[in-house]
Amino acid sequence: MKELVDLGVMVFREKNSRGSFKPHLSIKFRSTEGKLVTFSIDTTRTPAKYQQPDAYLITHAHSDHNGKSAMLSDRSVCSEKTAIALEIRHDRKYAGRTFKVGETIDVSGVKVHTFPNFHTVGSTSFLWENEVGTRILVTGDVKDASMLPKCDLLITEANYGDPGDTTCFFDDDLEGFENAVRDNPSIAFGAYAFGKAQRAVELLRGFGYDGVIEMDEKSLSLTRTLLEDAGELEYLGNCCGDSICIVPPWDLDKLPSNISKFVMTGRSDYRYPAIQISDHLDARGLVDMVKNIDPEFTVVYHPNGHRPGRFAKHLDSIGFNSLSIDQIENVLSNEFV
Ligand SMILES: [Zn+2]
């Protein structure tokens, strides 16, 4: 079995000046031209006085992937739509470079290919090759892995990767969603402003609903800017009758009591009925993804908590050599990067 050293890659974590771990990880390798290159992945910026990585790769605009920090570096790299989402969400200017998902870009002499993973609008997986021919794929969070290429080193997520946890197994309840729309003349959905709200609009239009969709300000701004075929969207009015409303889950309480309310979530701790619509692969989906990609080695780098460890252990047990982020022993402080 090949180890990271055989693949010509060093995976490491960084400590910030306070001595705590920066989120996620960085990777050092030699480019096909023999140059030593460092890519930081979904992590926060290193203070300007220290040596910078060659790039901050940002897979998507969810807060737990730290684009809010990395977006201020001119070395940040993300898709055009991720950059727009970051600017709207954080009300600051994106300082890095962008690409259209599917394009191949040159990052510090490394040819980086980009792929959609359908987790959010603009979300991207990155693939490149190092000096010894190792194909390195960073997936970010994944909803649909069908467009992802084969690789030798897979760096991936485990949001629902614990095979011993029943809540990690689910299917999207598209039928329940469609029935709720059909059966309730006056209806509102609780959905997070970035990610879920755009998925809700896409699904509604996919069902053939062509009426007005009312949204809160942030959701409206993100959806109008990011979705090409969103149909007629309006700012939240009285929300009772001719339109469907989409607001963040915690704003459902503020809407009139006579309308039917649902939350689009996998969680069950809301006071309104939940409709299971996820932005993620479940545990089976993650395993199928790894089997299809068939890497020599896998590093599970996200999220926080025990799931990366549980997923890596499971992958090991079915024959995929794996490491989770908490097992990475290379730790550098700012001075040594
Ligand atoms: Zn995410």
Side-chain angles (χ1 to χ4, degrees):
M1 251 188 227
K2 283 194 176 167
E3 298 292 337
L4 284 169
V5 64
D6 306 315
L7 296 170
V9 169
M10 182 177 113
V11 172
F12 65 100
R13 302 181 76 187
E14 287 171 70
K15 281 200 168 167
N16 59 32
S17 36
R18 293 187 308 280
S20 52
F21 281 118
K22 282 174 60 168
H24 301 129
L25 47 75
S26 294
I27 169 167
K28 273 187 195 290
F29 58 96
R30 283 196 189 277
S31 71
T32 49
E33 283 138 26
K35 181 183 151 210
L36 190 61
V37 177
T38 304
F39 285 170
S40 287
I41 296 158
D42 285 339
T43 196
T44 49
R45 248 173 330 132
T46 300
K49 64 178 174 176
Y50 299 112
Q51 193 183 334
Q52 296 292 306
D54 294 279
Y56 293 98
L57 304 184
I58 306 171
T59 60
H60 64 290
H62 274 147
S63 311
D64 55 348
H65 292 257
N66 304 291
K68 182 182 180 182
S69 165
M71 71 185 286
L72 297 176
S73 168
D74 59 4
R75 297 189 179 207
S76 57
V77 177
C78 74
S79 72
E80 287 172 0
K81 290 197 169 173
T82 295
I84 292 167
L86 287 170
E87 289 190 338
I88 296 173
R89 296 199 69 196
H90 304 302
D91 203 20
R92 44 170 67 170
K93 191 111 193 70
Y94 176 75
R97 59 181 294 195
T98 60
F99 56 84
K100 282 190 173 49
V101 179
E103 284 179 350
T104 296
I105 49 173
D106 185 297
V107 183
S108 275
V110 180
K111 227 191 245 179
V112 178
H113 308 277
T114 65
F115 299 86
N117 53 46
F118 307 98
H119 170 62
T120 65
V121 178
S123 62
T124 308
S125 302
F126 299 95
L127 176 89
W128 68 91
E129 200 170 313
N130 72 2
E131 191 183 34
V132 295
T134 300
R135 296 162 299 171
I136 301 158
L137 175 67
V138 174
T139 67
D141 291 351
V142 183
K143 171 64 173 174
D144 175 348
S146 61
M147 303 284 281
L148 299 183
K150 300 250 185 242
C151 75
D152 305 297
L153 171 58
L154 173 66
I155 299 178
T156 195
E157 56 114 341
N159 277 283
Y160 294 94
D162 181 357
D165 182 341
T166 53
T167 65
C168 287
F169 295 83
F170 50 79
D171 290 307
D172 280 348
D173 187 10
L174 298 175
E175 202 182 326
F177 186 38
E178 196 169 5
N179 289 345
V181 173
R182 195 191 55 219
D183 298 343
N184 296 280
S186 195
I187 190 165
F189 293 102
Y192 294 120
F194 177 65
K196 200 74 98 211
Q198 290 79 51
R199 188 176 299 283
V201 171
E202 283 181 318
L203 288 172
L204 288 167
R205 298 309 185 202
F207 294 153
Y209 173 74
D210 57 4
V212 176
I213 298 174
E214 292 183 35
M215 306 178 100
D216 64 287
E217 203 176 342
K218 212 55 161 190
S219 306
L220 181 66
S221 165
L222 285 161
T223 309
R224 262 201 188 135
T225 318
L226 295 171
L227 281 192
E228 272 96 39
D229 303 311
E232 201 177 340
L233 306 177
E234 275 179 20
Y235 180 65
L236 206 57
N238 48 16
C239 199
C240 51
D242 304 334
S243 57
I244 294 175
C245 295
I246 299 176
V247 298
W250 48 87
D251 280 351
L252 284 172
D253 286 344
K254 299 177 191 162
L255 299 180
S257 56
N258 60 328
I259 63 173
S260 310
K261 295 164 187 169
F262 298 87
V263 185
M264 296 181 70
T265 180
R267 287 166 46 176
S268 54
D269 52 346
Y270 289 105
R271 49 185 290 223
Y272 302 105
I275 294 180
Q276 172 74 57
I277 300 283
S278 180
D279 301 322
H280 289 275
L281 289 172
D282 75 343
R284 281 165 301 203
L286 287 168
V287 169
D288 287 346
M289 172 181 76
V290 176
K291 285 180 176 167
N292 287 330
I293 288 173
D294 196 23
E296 298 269 4
F297 199 95
T298 300
V299 176
V300 187
Y301 82 111
H302 179 80
N304 284 331
H306 61 260
R307 283 186 176 170
R310 301 258 167 93
F311 186 49
K313 205 168 158 210
H314 179 62
L315 289 178
D316 265 330
S317 76
I318 58 170
F320 291 96
N321 207 9
S322 303
L323 187 74
S324 57
I325 182 157
D326 52 297
Q327 297 173 303
I328 294 174
E329 289 174 351
N330 300 317
V331 180
L332 300 178
S333 66
N334 290 324
E335 285 83 356
F336 291 99
V337 176

PDB file of all heavy atoms in Angstrom, residues 95-107:
ATOM      1  N   ALA A  95     -10.471  39.344  -2.829  1.00  0.00           N
ATOM      2  CA  ALA A  95      -9.201  39.876  -3.342  1.00  0.00           C
ATOM      3  C   ALA A  95      -8.446  38.904  -4.249  1.00  0.00           C
ATOM      4  O   ALA A  95      -7.414  39.256  -4.808  1.00  0.00           O
ATOM      5  CB  ALA A  95      -8.303  40.249  -2.160  1.00  0.00           C
ATOM      6  N   GLY A  96      -8.954  37.682  -4.378  1.00  0.00           N
ATOM      7  CA  GLY A  96      -8.192  36.660  -5.096  1.00  0.00           C
ATOM      8  C   GLY A  96      -8.576  36.524  -6.555  1.00  0.00           C
ATOM      9  O   GLY A  96      -9.082  37.454  -7.160  1.00  0.00           O
ATOM     10  N   ARG A  97      -8.310  35.354  -7.090  1.00  0.00           N
ATOM     11  CA  ARG A  97      -8.648  35.107  -8.490  1.00  0.00           C
ATOM     12  C   ARG A  97      -9.789  34.111  -8.585  1.00  0.00           C
ATOM     13  O   ARG A  97     -10.026  33.325  -7.655  1.00  0.00           O
ATOM     14  CB  ARG A  97      -7.434  34.583  -9.238  1.00  0.00           C
ATOM     15  CG  ARG A  97      -6.902  33.305  -8.651  1.00  0.00           C
ATOM     16  CD  ARG A  97      -5.701  32.840  -9.395  1.00  0.00           C
ATOM     17  NE  ARG A  97      -6.058  32.465 -10.753  1.00  0.00           N
ATOM     18  CZ  ARG A  97      -5.270  31.755 -11.552  1.00  0.00           C
ATOM     19  NH1 ARG A  97      -4.086  31.376 -11.109  1.00  0.00           N
ATOM     20  NH2 ARG A  97      -5.644  31.429 -12.763  1.00  0.00           N
ATOM     21  N   THR A  98     -10.479  34.136  -9.734  1.00  0.00           N
ATOM     22  CA  THR A  98     -11.655  33.279  -9.888  1.00  0.00           C
ATOM     23  C   THR A  98     -11.580  32.493 -11.195  1.00  0.00           C
ATOM     24  O   THR A  98     -10.763  32.776 -12.064  1.00  0.00           O
ATOM     25  CB  THR A  98     -12.952  34.104  -9.899  1.00  0.00           C
ATOM     26  OG1 THR A  98     -12.907  35.028 -10.992  1.00  0.00           O
ATOM     27  CG2 THR A  98     -13.139  34.849  -8.598  1.00  0.00           C
ATOM     28  N   PHE A  99     -12.473  31.533 -11.314  1.00  0.00           N
ATOM     29  CA  PHE A  99     -12.584  30.702 -12.523  1.00  0.00           C
ATOM     30  C   PHE A  99     -14.036  30.261 -12.623  1.00  0.00           C
ATOM     31  O   PHE A  99     -14.794  30.375 -11.653  1.00  0.00           O
ATOM     32  CB  PHE A  99     -11.665  29.478 -12.393  1.00  0.00           C
ATOM     33  CG  PHE A  99     -11.939  28.671 -11.152  1.00  0.00           C
ATOM     34  CD1 PHE A  99     -12.946  27.719 -11.110  1.00  0.00           C
ATOM     35  CD2 PHE A  99     -11.239  28.921  -9.971  1.00  0.00           C
ATOM     36  CE1 PHE A  99     -13.230  27.018  -9.959  1.00  0.00           C
ATOM     37  CE2 PHE A  99     -11.523  28.222  -8.807  1.00  0.00           C
ATOM     38  CZ  PHE A  99     -12.518  27.266  -8.809  1.00  0.00           C
ATOM     39  N   LYS A 100     -14.394  29.763 -13.804  1.00  0.00           N
ATOM     40  CA  LYS A 100     -15.700  29.119 -13.964  1.00  0.00           C
ATOM     41  C   LYS A 100     -15.501  27.631 -13.667  1.00  0.00           C
ATOM     42  O   LYS A 100     -14.530  27.028 -14.160  1.00  0.00           O
ATOM     43  CB  LYS A 100     -16.190  29.277 -15.404  1.00  0.00           C
ATOM     44  CG  LYS A 100     -16.763  30.634 -15.715  1.00  0.00           C
ATOM     45  CD  LYS A 100     -17.432  30.577 -17.094  1.00  0.00           C
ATOM     46  CE  LYS A 100     -18.193  31.815 -17.444  1.00  0.00           C
ATOM     47  NZ  LYS A 100     -17.521  33.084 -17.267  1.00  0.00           N
ATOM     48  N   VAL A 101     -16.405  27.038 -12.884  1.00  0.00           N
ATOM     49  CA  VAL A 101     -16.235  25.617 -12.546  1.00  0.00           C
ATOM     50  C   VAL A 101     -16.194  24.806 -13.844  1.00  0.00           C
ATOM     51  O   VAL A 101     -17.068  24.962 -14.706  1.00  0.00           O
ATOM     52  CB  VAL A 101     -17.376  25.128 -11.628  1.00  0.00           C
ATOM     53  CG1 VAL A 101     -17.190  23.645 -11.304  1.00  0.00           C
ATOM     54  CG2 VAL A 101     -17.418  25.944 -10.343  1.00  0.00           C
ATOM     55  N   GLY A 102     -15.164  23.972 -13.971  1.00  0.00           N
ATOM     56  CA  GLY A 102     -14.964  23.204 -15.205  1.00  0.00           C
ATOM     57  C   GLY A 102     -13.706  23.659 -15.928  1.00  0.00           C
ATOM     58  O   GLY A 102     -13.134  22.907 -16.717  1.00  0.00           O
ATOM     59  N   GLU A 103     -13.255  24.888 -15.631  1.00  0.00           N
ATOM     60  CA  GLU A 103     -12.041  25.401 -16.273  1.00  0.00           C
ATOM     61  C   GLU A 103     -10.791  24.798 -15.626  1.00  0.00           C
ATOM     62  O   GLU A 103     -10.825  24.342 -14.480  1.00  0.00           O
ATOM     63  CB  GLU A 103     -11.969  26.927 -16.120  1.00  0.00           C
ATOM     64  CG  GLU A 103     -12.902  27.655 -17.057  1.00  0.00           C
ATOM     65  CD  GLU A 103     -12.837  29.174 -16.891  1.00  0.00           C
ATOM     66  OE1 GLU A 103     -12.218  29.681 -15.934  1.00  0.00           O
ATOM     67  OE2 GLU A 103     -13.440  29.849 -17.735  1.00  0.00           O
ATOM     68  N   THR A 104      -9.692  24.861 -16.386  1.00  0.00           N
ATOM     69  CA  THR A 104      -8.381  24.504 -15.848  1.00  0.00           C
ATOM     70  C   THR A 104      -7.585  25.787 -15.696  1.00  0.00           C
ATOM     71  O   THR A 104      -7.553  26.602 -16.613  1.00  0.00           O
ATOM     72  CB  THR A 104      -7.664  23.530 -16.803  1.00  0.00           C
ATOM     73  OG1 THR A 104      -8.424  22.313 -16.855  1.00  0.00           O
ATOM     74  CG2 THR A 104      -6.258  23.217 -16.317  1.00  0.00           C
ATOM     75  N   ILE A 105      -6.976  25.985 -14.536  1.00  0.00           N
ATOM     76  CA  ILE A 105      -6.257  27.237 -14.292  1.00  0.00           C
ATOM     77  C   ILE A 105      -4.818  26.941 -13.875  1.00  0.00           C
ATOM     78  O   ILE A 105      -4.525  25.860 -13.366  1.00  0.00           O
ATOM     79  CB  ILE A 105      -6.949  28.079 -13.189  1.00  0.00           C
ATOM     80  CG1 ILE A 105      -7.244  27.219 -11.950  1.00  0.00           C
ATOM     81  CG2 ILE A 105      -8.223  28.710 -13.712  1.00  0.00           C
ATOM     82  CD1 ILE A 105      -7.757  27.993 -10.780  1.00  0.00           C
ATOM     83  N   ASP A 106      -3.962  27.905 -14.089  1.00  0.00           N
ATOM     84  CA  ASP A 106      -2.568  27.777 -13.673  1.00  0.00           C
ATOM     85  C   ASP A 106      -2.402  28.477 -12.324  1.00  0.00           C
ATOM     86  O   ASP A 106      -2.633  29.674 -12.209  1.00  0.00           O
ATOM     87  CB  ASP A 106      -1.649  28.416 -14.727  1.00  0.00           C
ATOM     88  CG  ASP A 106      -0.178  28.200 -14.383  1.00  0.00           C
ATOM     89  OD1 ASP A 106       0.263  28.707 -13.336  1.00  0.00           O
ATOM     90  OD2 ASP A 106       0.516  27.524 -15.157  1.00  0.00           O
ATOM     91  N   VAL A 107      -2.046  27.706 -11.313  1.00  0.00           N
ATOM     92  CA  VAL A 107      -1.828  28.280  -9.986  1.00  0.00           C
ATOM     93  C   VAL A 107      -0.370  28.015  -9.606  1.00  0.00           C
ATOM     94  O   VAL A 107       0.009  26.868  -9.359  1.00  0.00           O
ATOM     95  CB  VAL A 107      -2.771  27.645  -8.932  1.00  0.00           C
ATOM     96  CG1 VAL A 107      -2.585  28.313  -7.574  1.00  0.00           C
ATOM     97  CG2 VAL A 107      -4.231  27.747  -9.363  1.00  0.00           C
TER      98      VAL A 107
END
